[in-house]
Amino acid sequence: LIHFYKSEMADTGKLWPQIFGASGATMGAFSLGTIIAWSNDAHSYIEVNDDSGSCLDSDHLSCLSHSEFRQVSALFNIGAAIVPFLTILLFPMIGKKWTMILLVIPNVVGWVLILFSTKVWMFSLGRVLTGFSGGAFAIAAPAFSNEIAEQRIRGALGTMMQLMICLGILFMLLLADKVNWQIASGVCIAFPALLGIWLFFLPRSPVFLVQKGDYDEARRSLRFYRKKKDIETELAEIQAEVEEQNKVGMVSVQLVTKGVYLKPFLISMSLMAFQQLSGVNFVNGFVKDIFESAGSTIDPYVSALIIGVIQVVSTLVAVLIVDRFGRKLLLIVSGGLMCISHLLLGIFFLLKNTQDEDP
């Protein structure tokens, strides 16, 4: 992004309004990161300890068993799985901006429920609500960023979502073992609230406004995000793209019946499925437990922080180089490194279990 700032010229407009807008939208991704890593801070307070038979907060709540806590931790995925059915309706009606603002409500309600939870059902409902809104943020934020960004930084702004997720995870890992889980949960309410305030004062995307036929507002939006007077050429390009989309219409069934749609559809779905099936969310949610069970000589808290920092640094590098090297190369490299990491981790735990079983 520093390179982009140095290279921008007066006649090409400014980049900072686009970065500012994308930063506000991806604040929801930061919130999703805190949702994913919440378990690292909460488990020692609300999960039953095998040695003592109670938990640290047993005076204020009913302690959760191991299975109950893992169920509560995983339930945010159920909420996130519901998201596509909502966004497919709201995006064309009110756009990405107001969809994200509306989603602040279930996110805050979910965190409040978690904050004051004393029973399993309260934790469960809170996790479902935060997962629901967090998953929606993950869809809406990059789409909004893509609609407000010009071509030269579209790739970089698109990857900001993952960077903010990693920053949210790192933030929760920093709080783990340092503050009470209720304090951490209360702090997390601030991030969706900040998103709502931030987006409220931003213009809607020019693409959505053109889709709605509001060309005057689209011009004002482009002037805000480009900070230049001559926006008619770009506005005409957006109009042409929208008209082309309208000619194609809803693809729906054509996604699986026509090769022109089926191939990219399968590629995108496979990439998302493989990323989730890698277990990355589980690792981020229980990274401290994993290092504890591994018997690492490094403090589990420090180990978790190292993982968090590595994720942030690697994602930041991807943000800076994605437009130069392309997504395909980055996917191949990261996929290969993930395979090696999974193989080494699997071999380690296989050897450890074999050693533990030996008399």
Side-chain angles (χ1 to χ4, degrees):
L1 295 181
I2 294 174
H3 167 74
F4 288 132
Y5 270 121
K6 288 181 178 179
S7 64
E8 66 177 359
M9 304 295 290
D11 60 339
T12 59
K14 303 295 182 181
L15 295 176
W16 69 261
Q18 300 165 56
I19 298 172
F20 180 77
S23 299
T26 52
M27 187 57 65
F30 186 97
S31 178
L32 176 59
T34 64
I35 295 165
I36 293 171
W38 172 83
S39 305
N40 287 285
D41 184 56
H43 82 97
S44 59
Y45 290 95
I46 65 179
E47 184 181 4
V48 171
N49 183 281
D50 289 332
D51 297 327
S52 64
S54 63
C55 58
L56 292 178
D57 269 4
S58 57
D59 294 338
H60 306 100
L61 52 81
S62 298
C63 297
L64 276 61
S65 66
H66 296 306
S67 61
E68 287 174 336
F69 182 77
R70 276 149 183 76
Q71 175 183 312
V72 165
S73 300
L75 276 175
F76 84 92
N77 293 288
I78 302 297
I82 307 171
V83 165
F85 302 102
L86 175 73
T87 55
I88 199 172
L89 296 174
L90 291 182
F91 282 179
M93 293 172 57
I94 61 175
K96 283 79 175 178
K97 169 188 169 177
W98 282 104
T99 297
M100 287 188 283
I101 292 175
L102 286 177
L103 287 166
V104 169
I105 298 172
N107 196 290
V108 170
V109 171
W111 278 118
V112 170
L113 265 174
I114 293 172
L115 177 62
F116 294 104
S117 290
T118 56
K119 303 291 183 182
V120 174
W121 73 265
M122 297 176 71
F123 283 111
S124 299
L125 182 57
R127 290 290 285 173
V128 169
L129 287 173
T130 52
F132 170 76
S133 50
F137 289 144
I139 296 176
F144 180 79
S145 300
N146 184 69
E147 290 184 359
I148 67 172
E150 53 191 287
Q151 186 64 39
R152 54 178 171 156
I153 61 167
R154 194 164 290 166
L157 292 189
T159 55
M160 275 186 65
M161 185 205 72
Q162 188 60 40
L163 175 62
M164 293 296 277
I165 290 177
C166 292
L167 286 171
I169 292 171
L170 179 59
F171 176 79
M172 285 302 283
L173 292 176
L174 286 168
L175 295 184
D177 289 343
K178 299 301 180 183
V179 300
N180 181 279
W181 69 275
Q182 288 179 305
I183 295 176
S185 300
V187 170
C188 289
I189 296 174
F191 304 119
L194 177 60
L195 176 145
I197 297 171
W198 198 321
L199 290 184
F200 181 82
F201 294 100
L202 288 177
R204 288 174 292 178
S205 78
V207 174
F208 173 73
L209 292 168
V210 168
Q211 290 171 343
K212 291 299 182 181
D214 194 344
Y215 298 110
D216 289 337
E217 282 297 321
R219 287 186 178 89
R220 279 191 280 269
S221 176
L222 275 175
R223 289 194 182 100
F224 175 86
Y225 289 116
R226 303 295 182 266
K227 294 302 178 188
K228 63 179 182 178
K229 295 180 179 180
D230 183 15
I231 45 83
E232 293 302 322
T233 301
E234 186 172 359
L235 181 61
E237 292 174 355
I238 294 174
Q239 288 179 260
E241 291 176 3
V242 170
E243 289 173 2
E244 184 64 26
Q245 291 172 5
N246 291 336
K247 290 179 182 178
V248 175
M250 294 291 291
V251 291
S252 59
V253 179
Q254 298 178 42
L255 279 174
V256 294
T257 59
K258 289 191 175 183
V260 67
Y261 300 125
L262 180 60
K263 184 177 179 179
F265 173 71
L266 290 178
I267 291 174
S268 60
M269 291 298 293
S270 297
L271 287 173
M272 289 188 287
F274 293 149
Q275 193 266 351
Q276 289 299 306
L277 292 172
S278 69
V280 62
N281 287 339
F282 176 84
V283 171
N284 285 320
F286 293 95
V287 62
K288 284 180 57 189
D289 284 356
I290 291 173
F291 279 105
E292 286 176 3
S293 63
S296 172
T297 55
I298 305 176
D299 183 88
Y301 173 74
V302 176
S303 300
L305 286 181
I306 292 173
I307 295 297
V309 170
I310 289 173
Q311 288 186 102
V312 170
V313 172
S314 60
T315 307
L316 182 59
V317 170
V319 170
L320 297 175
I321 67 176
V322 63
D323 284 320
R324 177 169 296 183
F325 295 100
R327 294 166 179 80
K328 181 178 179 179
L329 178 61
L330 294 184
L331 286 169
I332 292 172
V333 172
S334 61
L337 292 174
M338 286 171 65
C339 288
I340 295 172
S341 301
H342 275 72
L343 179 62
L344 293 175
L345 188 63
I347 292 173
F348 171 80
F349 278 107
L350 176 63
L351 295 175
K352 183 177 184 299
N353 291 337
T354 302
Q355 185 180 24
D356 291 342
E357 291 172 0
D358 290 339

